[in-house]
Amino acid sequence: MYTNSAIAAKMEADKRLALMLEHALAGVRDEVLKQGQNLETGMTRLAFYTSCFTQNYQDVCAKQKKEDIRFALNIYGLIGKRSVIERMIRIYVDLLLQNLTPERLRRVERALFKLGAGLASGSLTNQALASAITAAACYSFGLTTTIDRALLKRSTLALTLTGWYAYVQKAADAADRLKQQNGMYYHALYAEELEMLYFLIEPVISRNPSLNRIMSSDDEIAAAINRIIR
């Protein structure tokens, strides 16, 4: 399972990057554009900062600055927090199981067993089952591979503003998609300053449609759980 320090190390989230970000947000246009090389997504985001100098695009500039600040808060929040990956998965699972009765939990567990997901929760409570599901997801091959791909070949590029903004753009795009597809989960992550790290687990979570927790059947909930622990 990925730890906070492993994620931070791969993203090179250190004081040097913080200083770069500070200069970028202060509007040092020439320095920003000068370092914009080698990574298309980072270049695109840097180019958009030229909109800050035209009155017609102040909304674009304001949105990007807000995303940059949120990303910085999310990254530096890695320090002193429990595993962010585990926390993001747990929030999602808690939403899936929220307000399920003991009888429905039993049916969900039986459905999971039929799907080949042998989860031992120890007792039929939302908290126990949520803990078992979260552990299974965090140690799954699928989630580990997903995070590896999200961070692949980006750590060395993160030592430039272009590389940094490649991360920010990817994070912002993923957060926007989540907000549109699953507003409840987005706002739950936002409240804990985690929404800009969602891109790390998006391929796993996005396997599931946005479920209506009231209308979803026990089999649908079990299928959603099974998809995130594979």
Side-chain angles (χ1 to χ4, degrees):
M1 180 175 70
Y2 265 95
T3 62
N4 291 359
S5 58
I7 294 169
K10 283 210 171 189
M11 298 176 74
E12 301 288 348
D14 56 16
K15 292 181 180 179
R16 181 178 176 186
L17 286 177
L19 183 60
M20 286 180 169
L21 179 60
E22 182 180 335
H23 283 309
L25 294 179
V28 188
R29 179 185 180 188
D30 291 340
E31 180 65 16
V32 169
L33 295 179
K34 201 165 49 175
Q35 296 200 42
Q37 325 174 18
N38 301 327
L39 201 54
E40 184 177 354
T41 52
M43 279 289 290
T44 300
R45 189 171 185 87
L46 289 173
F48 272 129
Y49 264 108
T50 60
S51 67
C52 297
F53 300 90
T54 62
Q55 192 169 0
N56 292 336
Y57 293 95
Q58 288 299 306
D59 55 337
V60 175
C61 185
K63 181 177 184 293
Q64 286 203 174
K65 284 186 176 181
K66 181 180 178 181
E67 290 168 348
D68 292 342
I69 292 169
R70 289 295 300 184
F71 188 70
L73 287 172
N74 281 209
I75 291 299
Y76 293 105
L78 290 172
I79 302 171
K81 283 186 178 180
R82 59 186 298 183
S83 170
V84 293
I85 300 298
E86 180 183 358
R87 185 59 191 151
M88 287 191 288
I89 294 292
R90 179 57 184 264
I91 291 171
Y92 182 76
V93 173
D94 282 342
L95 288 174
L96 282 179
L97 301 181
Q98 193 173 53
N99 299 324
L100 290 188
T101 64
E103 177 56 34
R104 290 199 68 188
L105 286 174
R106 277 191 289 270
R107 291 199 295 266
V108 169
E109 282 199 312
R110 286 197 293 268
L112 283 167
F113 181 78
K114 290 178 181 178
L115 291 170
L119 296 174
S121 64
S123 62
L124 287 173
T125 66
N126 291 60
Q127 294 299 310
L129 184 56
S131 295
I133 294 166
T134 300
C138 287
Y139 286 98
S140 69
F141 176 77
L143 184 61
T144 301
T145 302
T146 291
I147 298 172
D148 280 339
R149 287 174 178 168
L151 298 175
L152 185 63
K153 295 181 180 178
R154 291 181 182 272
S155 58
T156 55
L157 291 168
L159 290 176
T160 68
L161 274 175
T162 309
W164 173 262
Y165 277 124
Y167 273 122
V168 180
Q169 189 61 53
K170 187 171 185 177
D173 290 343
D176 283 343
R177 285 191 293 271
L178 179 62
K179 189 174 183 179
Q180 295 299 318
Q181 296 163 5
N182 192 338
M184 184 171 292
Y185 184 40
Y186 169 85
H187 288 295
L189 292 180
Y190 189 95
E192 297 195 24
E193 293 183 350
L194 292 171
E195 85 287 352
M196 293 291 279
L197 297 178
Y198 169 69
F199 78 100
L200 293 170
I201 63 171
E202 182 184 21
V204 169
I205 300 299
S206 63
R207 294 171 186 169
N208 289 330
S210 181
L211 298 179
N212 183 317
R213 291 176 300 116
I214 297 175
M215 301 298 293
S216 297
S217 70
D218 301 326
D219 285 340
E220 288 173 328
I221 293 173
I225 291 168
N226 192 53
R227 282 189 287 267
I228 69 171
I229 64 177
R230 293 301 183 186

